[in-house]
Amino acid sequence: MEFNNVAILLTENCNARCEMCCDSRGHVVGKTLDIDEIDLILQNIYDVRSINHISITGGEPMLYKDRIEYILNYKFDRKVNISLKSNGFWGKDYSKAEKFISKYAKKISKISLSYDEFHIPFINVDSLRNIIKISTKNNIPTEVVACFIKDSMKPGDILDMLGDDSYYTDYYFQPVIKTGSASKFDNDKYIKLLDADSDVLACISTSDPDLTINPNLDVFPCCSQVIENTILKIGNLKESNLIDIIQSILHNEVFCTLFTEGFTPFLNLLNKNDINYPKKLASPCEFCEFLFKSDWFLKILENEKFYSSSKKQ
């Protein structure tokens, strides 16, 4: 198993205050990576030869365009694709957006734009339309990522708002996950696509393993919306290098179970101990947060001698 992708969470700050924000971005003045910290991250990525994709995300990373440009201009000795995830506020000024996108057209592999009913109060859809137009002209793929709750805006409404520009972008539509700021919605507002008792719950990192590095230089074993709200931090670049951190992930029995068998062994253990768990889920990530919000489940694994007994089978 190789880790090919790294998400760099450039900043916790955001110009929007979206109700469904997975980690309450924008509600507080948060941490932003400085150049020395970015250098440390990029040197570690340089050393991990399997990594060939970096996603710059936040918060809203384009609040710090100079730091994005620093990452885009970093000299790797191999092809490393760099994508950008943004709410698209900077597309309001067409000429400035065109100058930035055209300058880095050969270095940006994709622009992912977050837009839904929660972003509408803060971002004009014309900003996204401008970015889609300019990116299409420069042969940069774009996607629109949107989150939904019941009895509200639908995916088709986003297409209508984008008009003819909707033909030139891809889409990733998903239910709002009950985490971060979105935890405050009433339970009947969430769209639940999965049933823990009948569907196979697989970790999202199984098919495309990735890492997240946040502004505190903490490293997590995936880029799920919930991951920073769990105890699954696996290391910190102030204390260890990324090569060693990845090795610790690969030799961690909990992660190995998640990556190879999904949540099925853990569900079996919950049922064996008559422990209630959420049945209806928006995403497997929601179940991961349930298990690892604190260390309660790790204690059950230890008390059950789960891995010791598994090795004997």
Side-chain angles (χ1 to χ4, degrees), residues 156-225:
D157 297 326
I158 301 292
L159 303 181
D160 289 341
M161 293 180 69
L162 290 171
D164 289 345
D165 295 302
S166 64
Y167 295 107
Y168 298 97
T169 187
D170 294 326
Y171 303 92
Y172 184 72
F173 295 151
Q174 59 189 13
V176 168
I177 295 178
K178 190 175 183 179
T179 191
S181 294
S183 297
K184 67 179 181 296
F185 293 125
D186 292 336
N187 284 330
D188 61 359
K189 292 291 185 181
Y190 298 98
I191 300 169
K192 303 293 187 178
L193 301 178
L194 299 173
D195 188 314
D197 289 338
S198 59
D199 294 315
V200 176
L201 301 184
C203 174
I204 61 172
S205 283
T206 302
S207 59
D208 194 18
D210 48 26
L211 302 165
T212 293
I213 303 172
N214 72 11
N216 296 312
L217 301 181
D218 296 324
V219 182
F220 295 88
C222 77
C223 65
S224 164
Q225 301 99 316

Side-chain angles (χ1 to χ4, degrees), residues 127-141:
S127 298
L128 275 73
R129 297 181 68 176
N130 286 343
I131 293 171
I132 292 169
K133 284 187 177 77
I134 298 165
S135 298
T136 300
K137 187 169 64 174
N138 284 276
N139 298 312
I140 299 173

Side-chain angles (χ1 to χ4, degrees), residues 14 28 32 41-42 45 51 58 73 126 128 140 147 162 168 171 188 193 200 255 278:
C14 189
V28 296
T32 299
I41 292 172
L42 296 181
I45 291 173
I51 295 175
N73 289 319
D126 287 339
L128 275 73
I140 299 173
C147 297
L162 290 171
Y168 298 97
Y171 303 92
D188 61 359
L193 301 178
V200 176
F255 292 133

Side-chain angles (χ1 to χ4, degrees), residues 281-300:
L281 303 163
S283 160
C285 302
E286 206 167 64
F287 196 76
C288 188
E289 184 177 12
F290 164 73
L291 291 178
F292 302 111
K293 183 76 172 178
S294 66
D295 65 353
W296 72 271
F297 187 66
L298 295 182
K299 290 178 180 177
I300 289 177

Side-chain angles (χ1 to χ4, degrees), residues 14-16 18 20-22 56-61 84-90 111-125 127-128 131-132 142-148 158 162 169-174 225:
C14 189
N15 56 310
C18 299
M20 43 55 72
C21 186
C22 58
I56 306 172
T57 183
E60 175 46 55
L84 174 63
K85 186 169 185 178
S86 169
N87 61 35
F89 79 95
W90 48 281
I111 298 178
S112 179
L113 299 165
S114 299
Y115 200 73
D116 44 42
E117 67 181 279
F118 307 105
H119 288 84
I120 286 174
F122 309 101
I123 313 297
N124 190 301
V125 71
S127 298
L128 275 73
I131 293 171
I132 292 169
T142 60
E143 66 178 7
V144 175
V145 179
C147 297
F148 301 93
I158 301 292
L162 290 171
T169 187
D170 294 326
Y171 303 92
Y172 184 72
F173 295 151
Q174 59 189 13
Q225 301 99 316

